[in-house]
Amino acid sequence: MTISPTFNRTFKCPCCSNSFTTVNVRISYPKTAEISSDYCVTYKDEANSPYLYYVNVCDSCGYAYTKNSVPLTSLTKETIIKEISVKWKPRSYGNIRSIEEAIICYKLAIYCSTLKKEKYYLLAGLLLRVGWLYRKMNDLKEEERFLLQALEYYKKSYDIADYAGTDMSEIRILYLIGELSRRCNFYEQAVTYFSKIVSHPNAHFEKGVVDKAREQWRLTRENNKTLEKAI
Ligand SMILES: [Zn+2]
């Protein structure tokens, strides 16, 4: 018997307490084909990518969240109801999703995250994932638009260290700022952030990221030379 890559999961909405069912990918199913320099995974079966189902959307009130979202308080719940639920026409994103549908779910989650004033690194992570989904659709313009926004929020997060005490390390956030700067053609900025990694006091704890930063630093210098020649 072949086991389906996906299954239906039921959640109780943290905002309106409605029960809704949504598709999830089995944890053992996805097999990685490739990981890009900004950590976007290409799966062997992209049609059943876990990225498509990362966001849960309540069909009754429109609240969109992920496993990393901050729990609602009575105040943020009130804001979600006022800004989303009262305007929400009940509809479900609980079935098999296309990339386009997944992007709508992420955009709803980004709006909810903004309304809840979540930490910048969480918002940046959602924006980055939307950029990746546009990349998978070969929509380079929208990809860059979202990478730029992710970059802006990772920088804000780094400036006030709002990632402290989470799974996100300082070296990793520096790397993402460097790499997103490189991808958005801000070469000087990329070099500044990659160099911070190489000289970081914790560099020996995260050798993998540091080696990657060295490699991307070298690539940035090449990118810059190519750009100078073109001018
Ligand atoms: Zn709800």
Side-chain angles (χ1 to χ4, degrees):
M1 195 180 80
T2 323
I3 299 173
S4 161
T6 59
F7 67 106
N8 287 326
R9 230 175 134 180
T10 302
F11 291 96
K12 186 176 173 189
C13 173
C15 185
C16 72
S17 301
N18 161 58
S19 280
F20 65 96
T21 303
T22 192
V23 166
N24 268 199
V25 178
R26 282 183 206 285
I27 212 151
S28 59
Y29 180 75
K31 300 283 179 288
T32 301
E34 200 190 341
I35 302 177
S36 72
S37 55
D38 61 354
Y39 298 111
C40 173
V41 177
T42 302
Y43 293 98
K44 286 187 178 156
D45 178 5
E46 281 280 281
N48 289 300
S49 160
Y51 287 145
L52 302 174
Y53 306 102
Y54 183 65
V55 176
N56 293 327
V57 181
C58 171
D59 47 19
S60 174
C61 77
Y63 179 53
Y65 63 101
T66 75
K67 60 180 187 323
N68 293 321
S69 295
V70 172
L72 289 167
T73 62
S74 50
L75 194 65
T76 52
K77 196 184 269 193
E78 217 174 274
T79 311
I80 298 287
I81 293 169
K82 191 169 145 249
E83 298 298 328
I84 296 179
S85 308
V86 294
K87 303 167 194 165
W88 179 256
K89 293 187 183 73
R91 60 187 180 277
S92 172
Y93 289 99
N95 300 315
I96 294 289
R97 288 178 189 164
S98 62
I99 296 190
E100 289 88 344
E101 285 166 333
I103 287 175
I104 294 172
C105 298
Y106 276 95
K107 287 181 179 173
L108 275 167
I110 288 167
Y111 187 36
C112 289
S113 177
T114 313
L115 290 174
K116 287 160 67 186
K117 298 188 170 61
E118 281 187 340
K119 290 185 171 184
Y120 294 139
Y121 84 97
L122 286 174
L123 188 53
L126 292 169
L127 290 161
L128 180 57
R129 280 164 182 261
V130 178
W132 292 342
L133 291 182
Y134 279 118
R135 184 183 303 163
K136 288 170 192 286
M137 291 170 72
N138 289 319
D139 187 337
L140 302 184
K141 211 173 149 200
E142 282 301 281
E143 176 195 341
E144 189 178 352
R145 194 163 77 83
F146 278 88
L147 292 195
L148 275 169
Q149 292 182 64
L151 171 59
E152 187 194 327
Y153 280 99
Y154 277 129
K155 279 173 70 185
K156 283 185 181 186
S157 173
Y158 175 70
D159 288 345
I160 61 164
D162 77 352
Y163 56 86
T166 71
D167 288 347
M168 176 66 85
S169 72
E170 185 171 329
I171 288 189
R172 207 172 154 102
I173 205 161
L174 284 169
Y175 177 82
L176 281 167
I177 296 172
E179 179 55 12
L180 294 179
S181 300
R182 187 190 70 78
R183 284 177 178 258
C184 296
N185 303 332
F186 302 136
Y187 298 135
E188 273 182 34
Q189 182 169 285
V191 165
T192 304
Y193 282 89
F194 288 139
S195 68
K196 282 181 202 276
I197 298 172
V198 174
S199 58
H200 197 281
N202 292 345
H204 56 288
F205 292 124
E206 293 182 67
K207 208 174 162 300
V209 186
V210 177
D211 288 347
K212 247 173 126 132
R214 277 207 182 89
E215 175 56 23
Q216 295 312 100
W217 187 351
R218 190 192 58 74
L219 196 61
T220 309
R221 282 199 300 263
E222 276 176 22
N223 293 151
N224 207 11
K225 272 184 208 156
T226 314
L227 184 73
E228 277 171 10
K229 268 186 200 161
I231 294 167

